[in-house]
Amino acid sequence: MKKSLITIKNLRVKRGQKVVLRVEKLDIQRDEVLAVVGPNGAGKSTLLLTLARLLKPEQGEISFNGAQAQIESDTMYRRRIALVMQDPLLFDTSVFENVASGLRFRGVDRDEILVKVPLWLGRLGVSHLSKRRASQLSGGEAQRVSLARALVLEPELLLLDEPFSALDPPTRSSILDDLGLLLKETSTTTLFVTHNLPEAVQLADRMAVVIDNRLQQIGAANSLFERPATDEVARFLNLRLMPQSV
């Protein structure tokens, strides 16, 4: 059995006076891709933003590799993760400079940057765009560059927040195929937020279903489809929850 990289217990996150996420317990296993699925507004991105330390939970415990994450400084913690959003948010510089930016921020020396950046541009299929300005990229190209900028950091945890939702189907399918191979090749532990079930099934090892601001069920895709834990999960998965024999 794989060890957990992230363990969450009794997590509660509020925005204003409203509780927007409850997670009793969640383990993110090393090397796995965990898809967080659920309807819009259910709390999926809240979980991701909490793990990125962009939201502070009201209560709960988050352990990173067995140690309390809360006692680590924001700067040190964020050096362990990488985040890719729906909007790539690239700098108005060249593709090479965008992918190199995180390495430079972390103090990586020039010679290492000159090796790592071309490597990841190649792995994401955008080597030919190295000198192009980010403002001249298509949506799919920009998202490939954003993924290269994240993966070049070799993060312990990669956070993906609906990064393909704005892309056309052929572009989305192509990037999903390439990313799936890269995540397996590099054994990158990944939390992938999406409302698109086919995306989740294609990319993820397990799925966590968040509905009504609460983690309802987690497991392999086939087990969720065959045995949804609640009526809410069944409805989201377009299933009828059948009585279980005893």
Side-chain angles (χ1 to χ4, degrees):
M1 183 176 179
K2 291 182 180 180
K3 293 184 178 180
S4 297
L5 179 69
I6 302 289
T7 299
I8 299 172
K9 295 180 180 177
N10 302 317
L11 184 72
R12 186 166 74 172
V13 184
K14 293 179 74 174
R15 288 192 176 185
Q17 298 302 308
K18 182 182 178 183
V19 176
V20 292
L21 180 66
R22 294 179 187 271
V23 178
E24 292 180 10
K25 190 171 190 303
L26 172 63
D27 289 310
I28 303 175
Q29 299 169 358
R30 285 185 173 278
D31 307 338
E32 82 165 328
V33 178
L34 176 67
V36 181
V37 300
N40 290 333
K44 304 185 302 296
S45 292
T46 297
L47 175 58
L48 179 141
L49 293 173
T50 301
L51 284 173
R53 284 209 179 168
L54 296 175
L55 287 176
K56 185 176 181 180
E58 181 191 42
Q59 71 174 48
E61 178 183 305
I62 300 175
S63 298
F64 201 125
N65 198 21
Q68 287 295 311
Q70 289 94 326
I71 66 175
E72 193 170 32
S73 71
D74 287 347
T75 298
M76 293 305 297
Y77 179 85
R78 287 175 180 148
R79 284 174 180 259
R80 305 174 75 173
I81 69 172
L83 173 63
V84 178
M85 307 292 283
Q86 179 178 336
D87 184 341
L89 299 175
L90 300 176
F91 301 118
D92 188 22
T93 57
S94 71
V95 164
F96 185 98
E97 290 301 321
N98 268 281
V99 176
S101 60
L103 295 172
R104 289 203 171 98
F105 177 76
R106 297 181 183 199
V108 176
D109 66 61
R110 180 176 179 274
D111 289 343
E112 189 172 350
I113 289 173
L114 291 175
V115 172
K116 285 189 170 183
V117 172
L119 173 65
W120 279 100
L121 290 177
R123 284 177 166 176
L124 269 301
V126 287
S127 294
H128 61 294
L129 302 173
S130 177
K131 296 181 180 179
R132 188 175 297 181
R133 294 191 76 83
S135 57
Q136 299 173 328
L137 301 175
S138 69
E141 290 168 345
Q143 201 56 280
R144 284 180 178 272
V145 172
S146 184
L147 288 166
R149 183 173 63 180
L151 287 166
V152 75
L153 300 173
E154 300 176 357
E156 293 179 63
L157 177 65
L158 176 64
L159 302 172
L160 304 175
D161 193 8
E162 308 233 27
F164 315 121
S165 60
L167 303 178
D168 61 81
T171 300
R172 181 189 307 128
S173 177
S174 174
I175 295 179
L176 275 168
D177 288 343
D178 291 346
L179 180 60
L181 291 173
L182 283 173
L183 294 179
K184 284 183 172 57
E185 177 187 325
T186 58
S187 299
T188 301
T189 307
T190 304
L191 184 136
F192 170 45
V193 169
T194 181
H195 65 274
N196 185 308
L197 283 176
E199 279 186 6
V201 171
Q202 178 180 344
L203 196 62
D205 300 297
R206 294 190 301 155
M207 298 197 304
V209 184
V210 178
I211 300 174
D212 293 333
N213 308 110
R214 184 172 68 85
L215 177 61
Q216 305 255 355
Q217 189 175 2
I218 184 167
N222 61 346
S223 69
L224 268 62
F225 283 103
E226 292 171 5
R227 296 179 296 278
T230 66
D231 291 327
E232 290 84 358
V233 172
R235 282 193 291 269
F236 175 71
L237 299 175
N238 285 324
L239 296 173
R240 181 183 302 170
L241 188 58
M242 301 297 293
Q244 300 295 309
S245 58
V246 293

